[in-house]
Amino acid sequence: MILVKSAGNEGNDPWKYISAPADAASVLTVGAVNASGIITAFSSFGPTADNRVKPDVLSQGGNASIVDYSFEFILAANGTSFSSPIMAGVVACLWQAYPNKTHTEIVEM
């Protein structure tokens, strides 16, 4: 099992850091970038309390395309809560392509 967690949206706040459970060593923590690959200002960042580098990876969370199911149209939204599920999908596809890899090997890839 690979635990994928959003880094949080506190990058613009006085507390800019990643908090539990996203700061756990075994969690794949995902920050947010925009479509140009530039880190968004709102994305929380590390280091963790024990000085490990987090987030582990970045995925689109700035101007991410989402579906508003109640009104049935597509719109753009911001947040690491969008970058994390995008990365979870990538992780699932990667593990499906390499089923004999361990969770650690997939995270390192």
Side-chain angles (χ1 to χ4, degrees):
M1 180 185 306
I2 298 174
L3 301 176
V4 180
K5 175 73 175 89
S6 300
N9 300 323
E10 285 77 41
N12 287 324
D13 296 341
W15 177 262
K16 306 171 191 304
Y17 305 104
I18 297 166
S19 31
D23 65 347
S26 60
V27 171
L28 182 63
T29 305
V30 186
V33 294
N34 63 24
S36 299
I38 298 169
I39 298 173
T40 61
F42 61 79
S43 188
S44 297
F45 53 88
T48 62
D50 59 354
N51 286 321
R52 285 176 292 109
V53 175
K54 288 277 185 173
D56 301 299
V57 293
L58 301 166
S59 179
Q60 188 164 352
N63 264 345
S65 295
I66 65 168
V67 175
D68 184 331
Y69 67 89
S70 59
F71 295 106
E72 299 179 2
F73 58 87
I74 298 172
L75 54 102
N78 297 311
T80 58
S81 55
F82 303 117
S83 59
S84 180
I86 290 170
M87 184 55 62
V90 170
V91 167
C93 290
L94 191 59
W95 215 348
Q96 185 175 10
Y98 299 97
N100 295 324
K101 298 282 187 190
T102 67
H103 73 286
T104 303
E105 291 172 320
I106 294 295
V107 168
E108 288 175 359
M109 290 172 75

